[in-house]
Amino acid sequence: MDKSIVSAMSAAKDSATAAEELATQLGNNKLGFILFFCSAEYDLPELAAALEEQFPQVPKSGCTTAGELTPAGYARGHIVALGFHASDFRVAVGPIQNLTEFDLLQAQELIDNLLLSEPVYGAQQRQSFALTLFDGLSAQEEVALFSLQTALGKIPHFGGSAGDDNQLTDTYIYFNGSFHTNAAVLLIFTTALPFEVFSTHHMEPRTEKFVVTAASDDTRTVYELNAEPAAEAYAQYVGCALTELDATVFAMHPLAVRMGNEYFVRSIQRVNDDGSLTFYCAVGEGAVLTAMATQPILPDLEQRFAEIEKSIGEPLVTIGCDCVLRRLECEQRNEVAAASAFYRRHQVLGFNTYGEHFNGIHINQTFTGVVIGRGEDGV
């Protein structure tokens, strides 16, 4: 890529081999920080040890995925990494080890400490953006993200919730040399390079609406839609049998809540044995869910990236948090190759998520990220 940010990927299944391949590709570039995204298929304790062995002096953070965005495009079973040169990026790492107890006071203390750790750069103007990675099965994003955004103030923020290759069993966040559950990490990047944090989606509202008439906020479970068993009501809308409801159906027939003039998707995670639906985002009793019409993802992405690149110039890299259900849409529409080609052209690296974060809001079925430009020197 260039000296400011270097990228690497490995398809090796053995953790030690994968870490060695990353080290060879990233090279000895005086890296100040490494961000990585890895398949949950790896032996994670072995991978953690291998990464520490290969990069003993470099701070690292990352998470498990529901698929990877690599230099070759969409992938599964891989690890992809970004190395940030110390002269161009300062990255402050804030681990959160107990999400269920995390509150606004802790968020303010964490962010104050991270910002106080920033060095003085002199006359060169630098700005910051924040990246969050969350345990994607913790069901804690809404409260924790609100606390973090309140403390972050005007610092733009994006992120994603970790996946586990659609197993819905355990998702992990990496910091301090090991993988953690019920955890998150806040990363504050400071750089002189131009950047833009953004979120976009490709859906339009339909006329069908559902009122959530029974739900559990704590578990993100909806028991009734329009006073009918939730799964039955949803299957009737889709026009399929209950036994046919799966992740692909959820991807092609999303539901959303309206806030002001914007629609925010609330993706279904699974059907439960009692006929209820568990969502990736919180859905409260009394909420009105609007059915959304999906379209091919590329026209929206092309328009959004064109706007950003017109503003900040040619991208050096885009760190992307792409909902796993968007990937399933691409597979259903036979658009994986075209999407991968787009990601390669625009230097997109990242992962498929169990939910995205944008300025303190937990959302679904979006592409959310940051485009980092090359700057005046074209580095």
Side-chain angles (χ1 to χ4, degrees):
M1 197 168 286
D2 69 26
K3 67 176 183 178
S4 295
I5 306 175
V6 289
S7 66
M9 63 171 283
S10 175
K13 304 305 179 185
D14 175 72
S15 297
T17 302
E20 288 174 4
E21 292 183 358
L22 294 185
T24 298
Q25 295 170 48
L26 293 178
N28 182 17
N29 293 289
K30 297 182 180 179
L31 298 179
F33 180 74
I34 294 172
L35 175 66
F36 73 89
F37 309 106
C38 68
S39 168
E41 295 174 4
Y42 283 102
D43 183 311
L44 297 179
E46 287 186 4
L47 180 60
L51 290 171
E52 291 303 312
E53 180 180 354
Q54 294 294 332
F55 306 101
Q57 304 301 321
V58 185
K60 297 168 288 295
S61 289
C63 68
T64 57
T65 75
E68 301 81 49
L69 302 176
T70 76
Y74 275 136
R76 280 198 175 95
H78 290 47
I79 181 170
V80 59
L82 287 165
F84 295 84
H85 198 284
S87 65
D88 295 299
F89 289 89
R90 161 69 178 171
V91 184
V93 181
I96 302 170
Q97 295 189 321
N98 188 355
L99 273 176
T100 54
E101 301 296 328
F102 190 70
D103 58 20
L104 179 58
L105 184 62
Q106 294 179 54
Q108 189 67 63
E109 182 179 3
L110 175 70
I111 291 169
D112 286 348
N113 289 337
L114 294 181
L115 295 179
L116 285 173
S117 71
E118 291 296 313
V120 177
Y121 282 111
Q124 190 177 33
Q125 183 177 7
R126 296 190 176 225
Q127 294 183 312
S128 298
F129 63 85
L131 164 61
T132 46
L133 301 174
F134 271 66
D135 176 345
L137 297 176
S138 66
Q140 298 298 314
E141 287 97 335
E142 281 79 14
V143 173
L145 286 173
F146 175 80
S147 296
L148 287 171
Q149 185 62 34
T150 300
L152 282 168
K154 294 182 179 180
I155 297 175
H157 156 239
F158 79 100
S161 296
D164 65 347
D165 300 298
N166 297 325
Q167 298 302 306
L168 301 178
T169 303
D170 293 292
T171 59
Y172 294 88
I173 305 300
Y174 181 93
F175 52 79
N176 293 344
S178 59
F179 287 91
H180 305 263
T181 58
N182 187 33
V185 65
L186 169 68
L187 307 171
I188 297 182
F189 291 74
T190 302
T191 181
L193 295 175
F195 63 81
E196 183 168 334
V197 172
F198 72 102
S199 182
T200 189
H201 70 76
H202 58 298
M203 291 168 284
E204 296 293 335
R206 294 168 54 99
T207 58
E208 297 92 341
K209 296 185 183 299
F210 302 88
V211 178
V212 178
T213 47
S216 168
D217 291 344
D218 292 340
T219 61
R220 297 176 175 170
T221 301
V222 173
Y223 297 99
E224 292 182 359
L225 292 172
N226 296 342
E228 298 179 13
E232 290 183 17
Y234 179 76
Q236 184 177 3
Y237 153 66
V238 172
C240 72
L242 274 174
T243 55
E244 296 175 318
L245 293 178
D246 61 13
T248 300
V249 172
F250 303 150
M252 300 304 292
H253 302 278
L255 305 175
V257 295
R258 183 175 178 177
M259 300 180 189
N261 294 322
E262 296 291 329
Y263 288 87
F264 296 91
V265 173
R266 295 292 181 259
S267 295
I268 301 170
Q269 184 184 97
R270 61 178 178 264
V271 179
N272 302 308
D273 292 339
D274 61 359
S276 62
L277 298 172
T278 296
F279 284 69
Y280 280 108
C281 272
V283 180
E285 193 167 310
V288 177
L289 297 174
T290 299
M292 303 293 284
T294 64
Q295 308 167 59
I297 70 168
L298 285 181
D300 170 73
L301 281 177
E302 289 167 348
Q303 178 180 345
R304 192 70 185 92
F305 271 68
E307 294 169 352
I308 294 171
E309 290 169 13
K310 183 178 180 181
S311 173
I312 69 171
E314 182 182 0
L316 175 60
V317 68
T318 295
I319 306 172
C321 301
D322 184 36
C323 182
V324 63
L325 297 182
R326 287 168 57 91
R327 179 170 181 152
L328 291 176
E329 285 186 68
C330 285
E331 292 172 354
Q332 186 72 12
R333 298 179 189 274
N334 295 316
E335 294 177 344
V336 170
S340 291
F342 176 88
Y343 294 144
R344 290 195 301 271
R345 288 196 305 273
H346 294 271
Q347 309 293 331
V348 176
L349 299 171
F351 73 112
N352 294 120
T353 75
Y354 282 175
E356 303 80 61
H357 320 149
F358 182 65
N359 289 340
I361 302 174
H362 185 212
I363 49 184
N364 294 141
Q365 224 153 330
T366 72
F367 187 102
T368 299
V370 61
V371 181
I372 302 174
R374 295 182 177 274
E376 294 181 0
D377 297 329
V379 297

